[in-house]
Amino acid sequence: MDAPTKPVASPTAALRSAVVVNPVKVPDLPQLRRTITATLTAAGWPKPMWLETTVDDPGSGQASQAVRDGAELVFACGGDGTVMACVTALAGTDVALAVLPAGTGNLLAANLGLTGDLATGLEVVLQGGRRRIDVGAVGEQSFAVMAGMGFDAHMLDATNDTAKKHIGWLAYAAGAARHLRDRPMRVRVTLDDRPSFACRPRTVIVGNVGRLSGGMRLLADARPDDGLLDVAVLSPRTLRHWLALGWGVIRRKETVSNMKTFTATRVEINSKRIQPRQLDGDLIEAGKQLLITVRPKALLLCVPQPATDPDLAHDAAATDRQADEIRAAVDASASAS
């Protein structure tokens, strides 16, 4: 495919870029490469470097290599694991991260208001919205959205990959149903230097921004750059409790039944027994402890305009409409080739 015949206007300076892509998540890798390269070329940008993830390295090594090779912006194209690996590599640098979701249930993409539409993701980059956001750190790994211990990680583990491919984030409902009646955890939670407290929740979620896959906003007050982690302790016991909790979240009630929220810069969760754990929708090794600290404004992220809105997805719908020019140019070139 040749470059689009009609140049796509870009208000930003041309940047050296790299694409870190998970080839397993992309149904047509050559088409993806042609589309990204053609769009950037039409906007006056250099051709991007192209780095594929592997089983042994889901993206951190590739993103780090891109930085060493002079990239000023890295596209993360894949699922939650690919994006989190790039977040880990780019946090603390001045290299921007752009998300091009290719997997299902991509949490950071959901918080940016992005679907799997490639043109919208490229439009976000070319419009030039940039935002420094906090990240959470667990050991050597960093995450941009949420970490969790308990039910949420059980749900991820029980969700069928085939179902995710066919029905998207709705597949998580089946995984959740398998664990609705699990017994609660016995944990002790410590927030900063405050006295620890014991509780019996179904899950503890620690977030930097608030949306789950599908767009539901669990942490209504979470802000991406306030230097704080938002903590949700969910303690439903019955199906009725779960329904009441879900209804309260959907209605954005100030007080949600069976959910307590806190803020902190350091969160330590200790369990009586080994529990499943997740970072940004990607399972990590199960354990008895989850220790999370915040890295304030560590990540430079490409976001829809206006870049200063507390909600990262504030005007994503407008960006989607403005991406029609990219879609038309790519379609025209595809028809001509």
Side-chain angles (χ1 to χ4, degrees):
M1 181 182 77
D2 297 325
T5 55
K6 182 180 179 182
V8 180
S10 170
T12 63
L15 300 177
R16 296 186 300 275
S17 65
V19 180
V20 175
V21 59
N22 182 345
V24 176
K25 297 289 187 179
V26 179
D28 191 340
L29 195 59
Q31 176 63 28
L32 176 79
R33 186 166 187 166
R34 289 193 296 267
T35 299
I36 294 174
T37 301
T39 301
L40 295 182
T41 299
W45 289 37
K47 289 185 178 180
M49 293 176 268
W50 198 265
L51 303 166
E52 294 187 9
T53 66
T54 65
V55 173
D56 295 328
D57 190 339
S60 182
Q62 292 84 349
S64 296
Q65 181 64 50
V67 174
R68 289 193 296 271
D69 290 344
E72 298 166 285
L73 182 145
V74 171
F75 293 92
C77 187
D80 287 313
T82 304
V83 174
M84 186 179 69
C86 290
V87 168
T88 297
L90 299 181
T93 75
D94 292 324
V95 177
L97 173 67
V99 179
L100 299 178
T104 54
N106 190 299
L107 278 176
L108 185 52
N111 280 276
L112 291 168
L114 300 177
T115 63
D117 179 59
L118 180 60
T120 304
L122 291 169
E123 178 69 21
V124 166
V125 172
L126 295 178
Q127 284 187 359
R130 304 288 186 268
R131 180 86 167 268
R132 279 211 166 270
I133 69 167
D134 308 331
V135 298
V138 176
E140 298 299 317
Q141 293 179 287
S142 294
F143 65 92
V145 182
M146 292 180 185
M149 173 186 275
F151 172 80
D152 58 320
H154 271 305
M155 176 188 69
L156 292 170
D157 191 37
T159 301
N160 183 276
D161 286 339
T162 302
K164 286 196 293 183
K165 189 176 295 185
H166 286 90
I167 61 175
W169 64 269
L170 288 173
Y172 292 105
R178 298 181 188 180
H179 292 282
L180 285 177
R181 297 184 182 277
D182 287 358
R183 61 176 178 169
M185 302 185 293
R186 292 179 180 269
V187 303
R188 181 166 288 276
V189 179
T190 305
L191 306 175
D192 294 330
D193 57 358
R194 286 169 264 174
S196 64
F197 61 91
C199 54
R200 298 193 63 193
R202 298 299 307 280
T203 190
V204 180
I205 294 175
V206 180
N208 180 48
V209 289
R211 282 190 176 84
L212 305 173
S213 294
M216 181 184 293
R217 191 156 187 165
L218 177 68
L219 300 169
D221 295 327
R223 297 293 181 267
D225 54 4
D226 60 1
L228 295 171
L229 298 166
D230 287 70
V231 184
V233 179
L234 279 62
S235 305
R237 294 288 188 270
T238 66
L239 179 59
R240 184 176 179 179
H241 289 168
W242 278 113
L243 292 173
L245 190 157
W247 182 244
V249 170
I250 291 171
R251 295 290 300 275
R252 297 187 179 183
K253 292 184 176 181
E254 186 173 337
T255 301
V256 177
S257 176
N258 298 296
M259 183 173 87
K260 294 182 178 180
T261 58
F262 310 87
T263 59
T265 60
R266 182 183 184 276
V267 181
E268 183 177 347
I269 309 163
N270 288 287
S271 172
K272 292 283 188 179
R273 54 191 174 92
I274 292 175
Q275 301 290 345
R277 306 179 302 169
Q278 62 86 14
L279 304 180
D280 274 0
D282 202 49
L283 289 168
I284 61 173
E285 185 179 0
K288 291 184 177 181
Q289 183 190 65
L290 189 60
L291 174 60
I292 306 165
T293 57
V294 67
R295 300 178 63 186
K297 297 185 179 179
L299 181 68
L300 183 61
L301 182 65
C302 296
V303 301
Q305 297 280 24
T308 56
D309 196 279
D311 184 357
L312 295 178
H314 170 77
D315 211 12
T319 305
D320 180 72
R321 293 190 296 270
Q322 291 157 2
D324 285 342
E325 187 176 355
I326 293 177
R327 296 188 191 96
V330 172
D331 289 345
S333 293
S335 299
S337 61

